[in-house]
Amino acid sequence: MKTILESGPDAAADWAMHLATVTANADLRDCDMIEVSIGSLLRVVREQLKLEVVFIGEFVGASRVFRHISSSSDDPVIKPGECHGLDETICQRIVDGRMPSLTPDVARVRAEHGLPLYYDALGGHIGVPVRFSDGTLYGMLCGFSFEACPHLDERDVRRLEMAANATARLIAQAEGRNVEPLAAPH
């Protein structure tokens, strides 16, 4: 059975259509449906990218706060509401350009990037900013596994960017912000 991630001329359009289908159920006035849609979107991303955890982290002051999490484990290693100082995170390093969006094996480059020791347990990591249509940074959409992820590539970063745009739209709806239509894939 083919997955959405298999390459082909319509792969990006298929991914965008799948995300639009997942998020189409989110009524502008129904925050519960928006939460369900965000959860569904994260689950789809986690399963399609073959990751153990996918999360949305909001940047609040000098912290990254985990807001939404999809985990393959019944007892996830991170939980909504937990936070870390931004200066300790890969998220901040991606936003400010010190690390790429895709790191197939974080443990191998942890020291080089000045990450705390607990990142030695991390394998692959992929993350992109979540920005509202006005350009305001909300935070990050990231995923990781405890094993290296040589299967991830730049196409997956582009797919994650599409998911981040859909996520930003859903969060904007939940917050009562102006919502622009989802951008069509390139």
Side-chain angles (χ1 to χ4, degrees):
M1 183 167 115
K2 283 191 160 192
T3 69
I4 293 170
L5 294 180
E6 290 184 67
S7 61
D10 297 322
D14 289 346
W15 178 256
M17 182 182 299
H18 193 68
L19 293 179
T21 301
V22 168
T23 61
N25 296 327
D27 186 316
L28 284 171
R29 298 167 307 272
D30 188 347
C31 286
D32 288 338
M33 279 306 296
I34 291 170
E35 291 292 317
V36 167
S37 293
I38 289 172
S40 295
L41 182 129
L42 293 182
R43 181 184 48 75
V44 166
V45 169
R46 180 178 52 77
E47 290 173 355
Q48 292 295 315
L49 296 183
K50 298 179 179 121
L51 298 166
E52 292 176 54
V53 176
V54 173
F55 68 87
I56 299 170
E58 181 182 10
F59 289 5
V60 180
S63 297
R64 178 205 47 214
V65 181
F66 296 110
R67 296 296 184 202
H68 307 274
I69 299 164
S70 175
S71 175
S72 61
S73 169
D74 290 335
D75 186 23
V77 296
I78 56 175
K79 296 180 178 38
E82 292 179 347
C83 63
H84 290 106
L86 274 174
D87 61 333
E88 297 178 4
T89 68
I90 293 174
C91 294
Q92 182 62 52
R93 286 165 174 78
I94 291 171
V95 166
D96 64 22
R98 290 182 287 154
M99 283 187 78
S101 290
L102 174 59
T103 304
D105 191 351
V106 173
R108 291 187 60 210
V109 298
R110 182 203 58 79
E112 173 187 338
H113 289 286
L115 292 166
L117 286 174
Y118 57 81
Y119 279 102
D120 274 344
L122 205 58
H125 183 281
I126 186 170
V128 297
V130 174
R131 295 185 185 276
F132 294 121
S133 60
D134 67 0
T136 303
L137 178 65
Y138 174 83
M140 294 287 289
L141 170 58
C142 297
F144 64 85
S145 287
F146 294 104
E147 299 293 326
C149 294
H151 66 279
L152 295 176
D153 61 25
E154 288 303 312
R155 288 175 305 158
D156 299 315
V157 173
R158 288 190 300 278
R159 289 177 178 101
L160 197 63
E161 287 169 343
M162 285 188 251
N165 289 337
T167 299
R169 186 171 188 272
L170 290 168
I171 293 168
Q173 287 174 327
E175 293 182 355
R177 291 174 169 257
N178 183 28
V179 178
E180 299 293 324
L182 290 175
H186 295 69

